[in-house]
Amino acid sequence: MRKPPRLYFSLRSPFSWMAVRQLEERVPNAQDLIEYIPFFEPDAISSKALEEQGGEFHYVAMSKAKHLYILNDTKRLSQKYGYPMKWPIDKGDEWWELPHLAWIKAKELGVHRAYYTAAMAARWERGEDICDRDTLRRVCAEAGLDAEALVNAPEEAHIREAGVQALMRVYEDDVFGVPYFKVGRHRFWGLDRLDDFVTTLEEALATAASKAA
């Protein structure tokens, strides 16, 4: 494979949360095989930088009807998978830059797996606001991570730039929602496409292995 398979994920989305969990249960070494790229709504600073590089953000806010459907759908799915879940109350002005840039910082520090696990447990199992700096600081500290380094990630210029580059990848790959998977020319959107992605991934890995032999 010329480029590694990609997974666009979001700390905001319940479908992304469940898809990543399902994927890693089925493919334990997924993070070694797949490039994880964060998908998040940019704030004013990142939006400006994204536009200056010729990009834009494709996501469109959902309607109330769709939101209510998702509430019911995620409850059904979490029960199906046996995942404890407490729906967080988002007010609509959440700063999604914070937890996602913290993930990029955590990756730089080599602790992104522990950070992701802690952040997802906080948001989806306890219903906590991980866009609040004090809450995220506590979540990181309780996980034994460098809380100050992570919550201050948005103030680091190179982390900001890494976030913009992730958003450019989102733009260039025409990603409009998560989870979004890509293997070569094959694209899959949504939790219900996970089976197809895994099958295509396994086929691509087998082909690459045979060529290397």
Side-chain angles (χ1 to χ4, degrees), residues 131-142:
C131 292
D132 176 75
R133 201 184 288 263
D134 289 337
T135 299
L136 189 61
R137 180 182 289 108
R138 173 182 53 77
V139 168
C140 292
E142 290 175 351

Side-chain angles (χ1 to χ4, degrees), residues 79-128:
Q79 292 174 343
K80 172 184 174 182
Y81 296 134
Y83 298 160
M85 179 180 180
K86 181 177 181 181
W87 189 274
I89 304 300
D90 293 340
K91 302 179 180 66
D93 59 351
E94 282 72 26
W95 185 31
W96 289 107
E97 203 89 15
L98 173 61
H100 289 90
L101 292 188
W103 180 87
I104 292 174
K105 180 64 178 182
K107 187 175 182 181
E108 178 182 83
L109 298 174
V111 296
H112 52 296
R113 298 187 186 192
Y115 169 80
Y116 179 88
T117 299
M120 291 294 85
R123 176 162 172 77
W124 293 113
E125 295 180 21
R126 301 193 299 273
E128 297 179 358

Side-chain angles (χ1 to χ4, degrees), residues 152-172:
N152 291 324
E155 280 69 62
E156 292 196 57
H158 74 287
I159 297 296
R160 273 280 182 178
E161 176 57 24
V164 172
Q165 290 308 309
L167 292 172
M168 278 298 296
R169 299 285 296 280
V170 168
Y171 171 71
E172 292 167 351

Side-chain angles (χ1 to χ4, degrees), residues 1-76:
M1 292 178 286
R2 294 181 182 178
K3 296 181 179 179
R6 300 173 203 171
L7 162 59
Y8 289 92
F9 73 95
S10 171
L11 303 177
R12 177 180 184 176
S13 165
F15 298 116
S16 176
W17 165 59
M18 286 187 273
V20 171
R21 188 162 173 176
Q22 283 284 301
L23 172 64
E24 294 180 351
E25 287 174 2
R26 294 174 57 176
V27 186
N29 62 335
Q31 294 200 35
D32 299 321
L33 302 172
I34 302 167
E35 181 181 9
Y36 285 46
I37 303 171
F39 172 105
F40 56 96
E41 295 86 335
D43 62 12
I45 295 173
S46 292
S47 290
K48 183 174 184 296
L50 182 63
E51 291 174 4
E52 289 173 348
Q53 296 188 28
E56 61 180 295
F57 192 64
H58 296 299
Y59 180 78
V60 177
M62 71 180 72
S63 65
K64 180 180 179 181
K66 184 177 180 181
H67 180 71
L68 292 174
Y69 171 81
I70 288 175
L71 282 172
N72 290 324
D73 197 35
T74 51
K75 181 179 180 180
R76 175 182 61 82

